[in-house]
Amino acid sequence: MARSLLATIIFLAALQPIIVLGAGDAAARLTAQGKQFEERIFKIADNAYTAVGYSVSNVSMIVGDDGVVIIDTGMTLDDAGRIAEEFRKITDLPVKAIIFTHAHGDHTGGAAAFLGESRPQIWAHENFGSEARGWVSGDLTVQKMRGARQAGFRLPPDQRINNGVAPVRYPKRGGAVFSSDDKTSPTHFLRGDQQSLNIAGIELELVSSPGETNDQLFVWYSAGKALFAGDNFYRSFPNL
Ligand SMILES: [Zn+2]
C-alpha cells in the first residue's frame, strides 16, 4: 500500500513542469525587485510619513500638535540621519516618542539620530530583546548562520543584489543585532495585550503581536487608518 502510494506520488511529481531559473534570470528578477528599495518618503495618511529604501527597515513619522512620534529608527546612524533630515523638511517639531516594533538592530540602531535636547519616551514590548538573550548567553550561532544563508550575507559583493526584504546596507557581515546605547534603550513598555497612548495629541494603540520575534508589536494609528506592522508583514517570504 505504502509502495503504491509512493509510486503514485513519484508519477504525479513527474508530470509537474520543471522550472529551472538560470543565474541570469535570478539576477534580473532580484534587480527588478530592488526597485522597491529606491529611497522615497511616502505620505501614507494625513500627518503620517514612511521613509523607504534609506535603511534595511522602514522608518515612519506621525506629526502631532506639538511634536512627532517616530516608529522604528533604521539600522545605522548614517541611514537614520539622512531620514531625519528628510523628515525635518516636513516639520521641525521635536520628537516626543520613539516606538520600536521589536528589538532587531535594523529597527533600533539609528535611534540616536532622532534624539533631541529633551529625551523622548522610547516605547517597546515588555519582551524587548528576549529573542537573542538565550542565544547570546549560550554562545549559539545557529541563528546567525541561518540569517546569513537566508539573506546571502556571505555572497561575494557582485552577487549581493539585495537582502530580499531590503537593500544591501549592512555595515559589516551580520551587523549588530542590538543597540546597547543607554540613551536609546526603551524607557516605557507595552505590558499585556494592548495599550492606548496619546502623545502630542496623536492617539495610538500598541498591540502585542509575537510573530517574527517574541517582542513584536503593532502600532495602530486610527486617525490615519494606518497599521505599522514591523517585521510581521512584508512583501517577501515571511521571516517567522
Ligand atoms: Zn526583524
Side-chain angles (χ1 to χ4, degrees):
M1 185 67 176
R3 186 172 296 180
S4 71
L5 178 62
L6 181 64
T8 306
I9 291 169
I10 291 170
F11 174 72
L12 288 174
L15 292 180
Q16 300 303 310
I18 295 171
I19 299 166
V20 178
L21 280 180
D25 299 326
R29 288 170 61 158
L30 275 170
T31 303
Q33 185 205 15
K35 289 202 176 7
Q36 67 180 282
F37 310 128
E38 282 169 8
E39 294 184 358
R40 283 183 65 184
I41 307 287
F42 287 93
K43 182 170 184 178
I44 57 165
D46 281 349
N47 300 317
Y49 303 84
T50 294
V52 173
Y54 290 82
S55 192
V56 176
S57 67
N58 295 341
V59 176
S60 298
M61 172 178 75
I62 304 175
V63 183
D65 300 332
D66 60 347
V68 306
V69 172
I70 299 292
I71 302 171
D72 287 334
T73 62
M75 175 98 186
T76 68
L77 262 183
D78 178 55
D79 300 340
R82 291 187 309 114
I83 294 167
E85 210 175 296
E86 291 301 317
F87 282 170
R88 274 197 294 270
K89 291 177 190 168
I90 298 166
T91 175
D92 58 1
L93 289 173
V95 176
K96 295 281 188 182
I98 291 171
I99 303 172
F100 293 136
T101 58
H102 62 300
H104 278 166
D106 58 318
H107 294 251
T108 58
F114 298 99
L115 301 177
E117 281 165 19
S118 57
R119 192 180 173 191
Q121 296 178 3
I122 301 184
W123 283 85
H125 194 285
E126 63 181 329
N127 292 337
F128 187 76
S130 61
E131 181 195 33
R133 243 172 248 141
W135 296 335
V136 171
S137 64
D139 202 20
L140 298 179
T141 55
V142 62
Q143 89 287 1
K144 288 186 184 157
M145 285 166 52
R146 184 187 59 191
R149 286 176 181 158
Q150 178 181 333
F153 296 152
R154 290 177 188 162
L155 288 172
D158 61 313
Q159 290 181 26
R160 286 209 59 201
I161 297 168
N162 59 51
N163 285 354
V165 294
V168 173
R169 194 168 282 145
Y170 270 74
K172 58 180 184 192
R173 229 172 238 170
V177 179
F178 296 101
S179 165
S180 56
D181 182 345
D182 272 342
K183 283 193 303 241
T184 59
S185 295
T187 56
H188 294 65
F189 293 91
L190 164 64
R191 303 192 192 278
D193 292 336
Q194 204 161 334
Q195 186 164 342
S196 305
L197 303 180
N198 186 321
I199 299 168
I202 305 163
E203 301 273 357
L204 297 172
E205 219 37 62
L206 304 188
V207 183
S208 175
S209 56
E212 187 209 43
T213 59
N214 203 31
D215 64 357
Q216 205 97 192
L217 58 80
F218 287 150
V219 182
W220 171 240
Y221 172 48
S222 59
K225 292 192 166 53
L227 182 79
F228 301 86
D231 278 354
N232 277 340
F233 178 80
Y234 40 50
R235 291 171 69 172
S236 307
F237 191 82
N239 199 25
L240 301 180

